[in-house]
Amino acid sequence: MECANMQLDADTIAASLLHDTMEDCGVSNKELANKFGPHAAFLVEGVSKLGSVRYNDTQRKVESLRKMFLAFAKDIRVVLIKLADRLHNMRTLQYVHPDKHRRIALETLEIYAPIAYRLGMGSIKGELEDLAFPVVYPEEYAFVKKEVDKRSPEGEQYLREEVKPVLLEALAAQGVQPLSIDYRKKHLYSLWKKLLRCDMDMARITDLLAMRIVVSDIESCYR
């Protein structure tokens, strides 16, 4: 589903559905190529090879591991399939044996989320981090979530009642008609990392909430 949402090509969609067949079902590359074409088979084989790149707690050179991950993938679509697969794995982590939870979540924070960020996939990066955060750092997650839940209602009310009317007036004066204006909370893991840089002082966090304005064309966006 995630690969379809990315609007990837048919071979990539097929490979995303078949990505476990070589490793888990003993299906050969030749069989896949005969039934689904050589391009889909190539991508499935690439995803299987990336499965050998593992993170463990003793791995100190994380940056080298990220580079190795990208180097293994001769086609960027292989990385996209792996990111989509990892996102699905994190969304369904409760069905994995508890002994594996922390390793998978830590691997997600250290390897997968940074790669998604480098590829400009901010929404996937944010969701991967927020799904892994409570598993790897449960106490820190509980603290941040409590603070956000406590402060968000007042902030949303301020944006809605004080800022939005002024913003709409300013946009209208420039002839810009927004398609939508909504609010987003800062991702919890991102907030926690920022708190670490701010001595855990929530008063120094000025972007806990933000307004997102969607317009119809690029010119209006710049205006």
Side-chain angles (χ1 to χ4, degrees):
M1 176 65 75
E2 202 61 44
C3 287
N5 290 338
M6 293 182 212
Q7 300 182 21
L8 300 178
D9 60 277
D11 287 326
T12 310
I13 301 296
S16 70
L17 296 170
L18 298 164
H19 72 277
D20 282 333
T21 53
M22 292 183 70
E23 189 174 359
D24 295 348
C25 306
V27 178
S28 69
N29 181 281
K30 185 177 180 179
E31 288 178 279
L32 285 174
N34 287 337
K35 291 187 177 182
F36 302 98
H39 298 296
F42 167 79
L43 293 174
V44 172
E45 186 174 35
V47 173
S48 296
K49 288 180 179 179
L50 276 189
S52 64
V53 180
R54 297 286 183 182
Y55 174 87
N56 59 70
D57 288 340
T58 62
Q59 175 59 259
R60 294 183 179 180
K61 297 183 179 179
V62 176
E63 181 61 26
S64 296
L65 193 60
R66 293 175 192 150
K67 290 179 180 178
M68 183 172 68
F69 186 99
L70 291 172
F72 270 28
K74 297 179 181 179
D75 189 313
I76 193 63
R77 292 175 297 175
V78 172
V79 178
L80 300 181
I81 294 171
K82 284 296 291 184
L83 287 173
D85 182 47
R86 177 49 59 110
L87 184 57
H88 177 263
N89 290 343
M90 289 304 301
R91 288 171 176 171
T92 57
L93 193 62
Q94 68 269 29
Y95 302 110
V96 177
H97 194 282
D99 290 347
K100 298 181 179 180
H101 285 190
R102 191 178 188 281
R103 179 189 65 79
I104 293 172
L106 191 57
E107 186 179 71
T108 299
L109 285 179
E110 296 284 3
I111 305 300
Y112 287 87
I115 288 174
Y117 175 74
R118 292 181 184 187
L119 294 176
M121 305 169 74
S123 61
I124 290 180
K125 176 251 188 189
E127 185 174 355
L128 285 173
E129 288 181 338
D130 282 352
L131 289 168
F133 185 24
V135 179
V136 180
Y137 304 106
E139 293 182 5
E140 292 85 347
Y141 169 80
F143 167 77
V144 173
K145 188 175 186 306
K146 180 180 178 182
E147 290 297 315
V148 170
D149 289 345
K150 179 173 65 177
R151 297 167 185 267
S152 290
E154 181 180 352
E156 289 180 7
Q157 182 180 0
Y158 172 73
L159 289 178
R160 183 173 57 253
E161 298 180 3
E162 302 291 335
V163 177
K164 187 175 180 179
V166 176
L167 182 60
L168 285 172
E169 184 177 340
L171 290 172
Q174 295 297 320
V176 176
Q177 179 62 46
L179 296 177
S180 66
I181 297 178
D182 58 19
Y183 317 97
R184 69 115 179 101
K185 297 177 184 177
K186 194 173 184 67
H187 284 289
L188 296 183
Y189 184 68
S190 177
L191 174 58
W192 178 62
K193 289 195 296 184
K194 193 165 187 177
L195 279 169
L196 291 176
R197 299 193 298 270
C198 296
D199 301 320
M200 301 305 288
D201 183 0
M202 282 293 295
R204 293 171 62 183
I205 305 298
T206 58
D207 60 344
L208 179 61
L209 292 169
M211 301 185 76
R212 177 168 46 198
I213 307 161
V214 179
V215 293
S216 58
D217 56 78
I218 294 175
E219 180 186 354
S220 295
C221 186
Y222 278 101
R223 291 171 66 189

